[in-house]
Amino acid sequence: MTDFDDTLPAPDEFDIAPVRLTVDLGALADNWRDMVRRSGKARAAAVVKADAYGLGLEDCGTALYEAGARDFFVAVVQEGVTLRTYAPDARIFVLSGIWPGQESLFFEHDLVPVIASEEQLAFWMSLLAEGGDHPCALHVDTGFNRLGLPFADALALAKDVSRPASFSPVLVLSHLHSGDTPSSPLNKAQLDAFQEVSAAFDGIETSLSASAGIFLGPEYHFDLTRPGIALYGGESVNGMQPLRPVAKAEARILQIREAAAGSTVSYGATHQLSRRSRLAVVSVGYADGYLRALSGSGVPLRAGGTSGAYGYIDGHRVPIIGRVTMDLTIFDVTDVPERAVRAGDYIQLFGPDMPLAEVARAAGTIGYEMLTSLGLRYERRYIYPEE
């Protein structure tokens, strides 16, 4: 305890955070409405798995619910339990299905398991025999070879007159593996297979398309679409302009230092300066999900020999110099006027001025991974639609 405790005002944690994340919930809601429009006659759900793609399940789920979403998809049952508080009368589908020991969570919180295998189907049938009816969905594999009942088995199940009357899925779904590449002929092959599945389960709602599939056209929409990454401002179709940016990540400049031409920067001395430079040492690293593969040099695993990522400050794109480390990254701010950048300022890592997809490509990855890798140290600020 010091004499200062009673006199200093309490700081705004966001304003002093080493790394911070701004999430525009108005943009998120607008992106969902955009996907509703693009879904045509189909309803649009909202996929909020992985903590709403790293941006916060509670706040993002609430914003989407208030925007009108009434169908949600999560990956695991614990996410569904959390979301139920913020989406009281929504249908919440759990994509990983149900396993023994999870029954009370599904029933108590009115969650809909997505049955994805013969084992889950047998277990679900036994639950219905003991406890009566409860809604479920059925996942059918149409060529992904990931989750889903095999195509032939699903058709046989649809025609099985001996299946319990209590087993009546509220939704049959599948997933496109190449929807982000519209020219792929495999999209049409999966569409044809799913149309056959849809016909076999006549009278039950069907869903094939996540974000990318929605852009393939009305024939891919069926009854319900499942937009995910597009809601959060990520690139869902290769080379297509994303919707409104939702997330802005920033990191504080801890020090600006002068470095002589010919000197080296960061671990491994992988970058040698060709000129006298001003370097901004910034409080972000791979512990914050700012991937080591974004480094300006010294990352042999990155394919293609790309030069690394950029940040953005005061109207200038500034390159990463040398390797990204656990807690620190170094940017070259030599070309930014001295008066325009100083210690304590923030560099934008991705956001409205530094597209998420571009940063992800610099790391040889996708926006999904960038968002879902955000670390725990980000101080978050949510901008609500009315603000």
Side-chain angles (χ1 to χ4, degrees), residues 9 16 61 63 104 109 113 116 126 137 169 178 183 187 202 212 226 266 270 280 308 318 338 340 369 379:
I16 63 173
S104 61
H109 299 279
S126 69
S178 299
S183 61
N187 291 321
D202 185 41
R226 310 187 306 272
S266 197
T270 61
V318 291
E338 287 192 44
E369 185 179 21
E379 185 69 30

Side-chain angles (χ1 to χ4, degrees), residues 10 50 99 149 179 188 194 230 241 292 297 300 353 363 384 386:
W99 291 98
L149 209 63
K188 183 60 165 58
F194 192 65
Q241 180 69 30
R292 188 172 181 269
S297 58
D353 305 300
Y384 294 89
E386 63 270 21

Side-chain angles (χ1 to χ4, degrees), residues 205-223:
E205 288 193 331
T206 49
S207 176
L208 176 62
S209 291
S211 293
I214 294 170
F215 292 95
L216 293 176
E219 60 185 337
Y220 287 84
H221 294 167
F222 291 87
D223 299 298

Side-chain angles (χ1 to χ4, degrees), residues 42 57 59 96 100 111 115 150 164 170 172 185 190 193 197 225 227 243 269 280 287 295 300 329 331 334 358-359 364:
L57 177 58
D59 292 274
S96 62
L111 305 177
I115 306 302
V170 296
V172 176
Q190 281 195 267
V197 170
T225 63
L243 304 184
S295 300
T329 299
F331 292 83
T334 308
E358 178 186 334
V359 177

